[in-house]
């Protein structure tokens, strides 16, 4: 190996190599793959686009633009990659979405959480709204 350089915050490694037989130089690009393990057991590559499309439905009719959705998907991917695991269960992807979505838009957060966490009654919504209000309130003196 002649030279190695990281790109995309360490997710891609570009290596300049030399063939031991002929001496010619060539470049390889190695990318860290991230896989999602679905509930069915099937594994598929992580896709920012799938995160964006899922969150876009929750944001329908809300004042959220495409750039904010792309940023949210990037944040989710960075959070998942920070775990250091090459494969992550799908429910953990959903959990990684909830935090940034809550910061982005509370109504979209409630919509997404109601599906993701399978709200079954109005009590589930009231609890989630209560949690949002509690986090928003200034601390009591």
């Amino acid at each position: 190996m002649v030279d190695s350089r990281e790109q995309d915050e360490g997710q891609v490694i570009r290596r300049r190599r030399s063939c031991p037989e002929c001496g010619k130089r060539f470049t390889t690009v190695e990318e860290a793959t991230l896989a999602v393990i679905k509930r069915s057991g099937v594994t598929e590559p992580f896709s920012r686009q799938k995160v964006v499309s899922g969150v876009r439905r929750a944001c329908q009719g809300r004042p959220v633009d495409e750039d904010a959705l792309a940023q949210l998907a990037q944040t989710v991917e960075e959070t998942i990659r920070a775990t250091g695991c090459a494969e992550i269960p799908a429910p953990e992807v959903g959990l990684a979405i909830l935090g940034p979505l809550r910061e982005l838009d509370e109504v979209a957060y409630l919509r997404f959480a109601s599906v993701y966490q399978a709200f079954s009654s109005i009590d589930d919504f009231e609890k989630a709204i209560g949690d949002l209000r509690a986090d928003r309130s200034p601390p009591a003196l």
Side-chain angles (χ1 to χ4, degrees):
M1 181 171 21
V2 177
D3 182 29
S4 288
R5 294 193 182 149
E6 290 185 2
Q7 295 175 327
D8 295 332
E9 298 172 5
Q11 300 308 314
V12 176
I13 298 174
R14 181 180 170 269
R15 298 188 196 276
R16 267 313 265 165
R17 300 179 183 261
S18 175
C19 176
E21 293 180 19
C22 69
K24 287 190 177 182
R25 293 175 53 154
F26 59 96
T27 301
T28 60
V29 178
E30 301 166 13
E31 185 172 359
T33 59
L34 181 60
V36 177
I37 305 168
K38 307 291 273 182
R39 288 186 178 108
S40 65
V42 174
T43 302
E44 65 180 45
F46 175 84
S47 167
R48 282 188 191 180
Q49 194 53 46
K50 284 187 84 169
V51 170
V52 168
S53 66
V55 173
R56 183 182 291 125
R57 283 191 296 272
C59 293
Q60 199 166 6
R62 301 295 304 155
V64 177
D65 63 17
E66 287 297 312
D67 289 341
L69 293 177
Q71 180 61 45
L72 182 139
Q74 179 178 343
T75 301
V76 168
E77 183 175 2
E78 289 170 358
T79 300
I80 292 169
R81 286 192 184 277
T83 66
C85 298
E87 293 183 339
I88 187 158
E92 289 189 35
V93 175
L95 285 175
I97 291 171
L98 286 174
L101 183 55
R102 186 175 185 165
E103 296 296 318
L104 181 64
D105 187 277
E106 290 177 340
V107 172
Y109 164 80
L110 282 172
R111 289 175 179 171
F112 188 87
S114 72
V115 174
Y116 174 72
Q117 296 175 336
F119 287 9
S120 59
S121 70
I122 192 114
D123 294 334
D124 294 333
F125 279 96
E126 287 176 345
K127 181 183 179 325
I129 291 169
D131 291 345
L132 283 170
R133 285 188 174 136
D135 288 347
R136 211 192 296 154
S137 300
L141 298 176

